[in-house]
Amino acid sequence: MSSHYMPGEPLRLEAIDRRDNEWLIGFGPIAGDVSLFRSGNLAKAAARLFEALHRADAVDVLP
């Protein structure tokens, strides 16, 4: 690959809650600003992951 996607902000994996100045990407029972898939379907969540990361990058939540 000549290029790949890299988030422009710090990223925490397996977050179950939102900390101050964060955008939370939810999955399954974990609600967030956006959810990958509420039923926990991994295939559908994977298809939505990069879109969710791009949306998080577009939001100005950090000071």
Side-chain angles (χ1 to χ4, degrees):
M1 288 176 103
S2 60
S3 66
H4 65 280
Y5 173 71
M6 185 174 83
E9 299 292 343
L11 177 69
R12 284 191 307 129
L13 299 177
E14 298 185 43
I16 58 172
D17 59 357
R18 179 186 304 104
R19 294 181 184 166
D20 289 342
N21 300 316
E22 283 187 342
W23 176 267
L24 180 63
I25 298 172
F27 176 68
I30 299 169
D33 297 294
V34 65
S35 181
L36 296 180
F37 208 73
R38 294 202 188 276
S39 73
N41 183 305
L42 291 177
K44 290 183 179 183
R48 295 179 178 175
L49 177 60
F50 287 107
E51 177 188 352
L53 289 171
H54 283 286
R55 286 183 65 187
D57 261 350
V59 176
D60 186 19
V61 293
L62 296 176

